[in-house]
């Protein structure tokens, strides 16, 4: 009975993973194919995005972009815009592929949630809140989230390998 429940939950997690994976993969592929993200002008698009976030930073009790995040953008992200451009582009593609395949699902959901948080902190809504909530749910599901996926086969092998190496 317990195995049947895990499989039924696995179908739910699979559907969530497929939607999230599609969202990440399609967004990342748009960026990877765009010279402003990964080509000769890499860094241009992310610089525009970050400057837009800085424009939303304001004083007051509830700014769209908080001062601490604006400082992070100014001191770390903008000086390294080209690097962040590649990290975002290929990060989105890799998270999308991993979620679709159910490969290292927990790690992929964690990285996806981190990216969604950063987009939200930068003042961008879109589907980020929904994606963040679903990825947090995947994190709480643990290994069951990838039971219908490659995790079902890869994680037991890795566990056994690490047990032997202790």
């Amino acid at each position: 009975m317990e195995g049947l429940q895990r499989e039924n939950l696995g179908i739910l997690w699979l559907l969530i993973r497929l939607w999230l994976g599609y969202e990440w993969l399609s967004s990342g592929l748009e960026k990877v194919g765009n010279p402003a993200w990964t080509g000769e002008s890499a860094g241009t698009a992310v610089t525009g995005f970050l400057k837009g976030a800085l424009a939303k930073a304001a004083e007051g009790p509830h700014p769209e972009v908080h001062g601490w995040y604006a400082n992070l953008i100014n001191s770390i992200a903008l000086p390294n815009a080209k690097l962040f451009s590649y990290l975002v582009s290929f990060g989105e593609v890799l998270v999308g592929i991993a979620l679709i395949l159910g490969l290292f699902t927990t790690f992929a959901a964690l990285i996806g949630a981190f990216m969604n948080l950063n987009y939200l902190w930068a003042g961008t809504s879109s589907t980020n809140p929904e994606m963040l909530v679903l990825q947090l749910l995947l994190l709480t599901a643990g290994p069951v989230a990838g039971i219908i996926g490659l995790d079902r086969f890869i994680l037991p092998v890795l566990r056994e390998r690490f047990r032997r190496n202790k």
Side-chain angles (χ1 to χ4, degrees):
M1 185 72 153
E2 184 180 312
L4 184 60
Q5 287 175 332
R6 281 177 58 119
E7 291 294 328
N8 288 340
L9 284 175
I11 293 169
L12 172 66
W13 297 124
L14 172 65
L15 295 174
I16 290 170
R17 282 191 358 250
L18 290 175
W19 180 75
L20 286 167
Y22 171 79
E23 291 294 317
W24 282 120
L25 184 59
S26 60
S27 178
L29 288 175
E30 285 178 21
K31 290 174 178 74
V32 168
N34 184 332
W37 282 94
T38 58
E40 59 194 42
S41 303
T44 306
V46 80
T47 297
F49 175 79
L50 294 171
K51 287 185 176 180
L54 289 175
K56 297 175 188 176
E59 298 298 320
H62 303 289
E64 280 188 76
V65 175
H66 292 276
W68 69 267
Y69 199 74
N71 289 336
L72 188 75
I73 290 170
N74 275 320
S75 61
I76 297 174
L78 279 174
N80 299 294
K82 190 171 187 173
L83 171 65
F84 276 87
S85 191
Y86 280 93
L87 287 173
V88 167
S89 301
F90 287 102
E92 289 182 356
V93 168
L94 291 173
V95 166
I97 291 169
L99 289 172
I100 289 168
L101 297 176
L103 177 64
F104 304 119
T105 303
T106 303
F107 182 70
L110 178 65
I111 298 303
F114 179 73
M115 286 192 290
N116 284 130
L117 272 174
N118 277 280
Y119 300 154
L120 287 166
W121 282 328
T124 303
S125 182
S126 184
T127 59
N128 289 304
E130 293 88 352
M131 291 176 72
L132 176 60
V133 167
L134 291 174
Q135 286 162 144
L136 291 174
L137 289 173
L138 283 176
L139 288 170
T140 62
V144 177
I147 199 160
I148 300 177
L150 294 178
D151 282 348
R152 179 181 204 140
F153 308 103
I154 292 173
L155 294 182
V157 170
L158 290 175
R159 275 189 213 105
E160 183 59 34
R161 174 164 263 155
F162 283 114
R163 281 188 195 128
R164 275 191 262 145
N165 290 336
K166 284 187 176 182

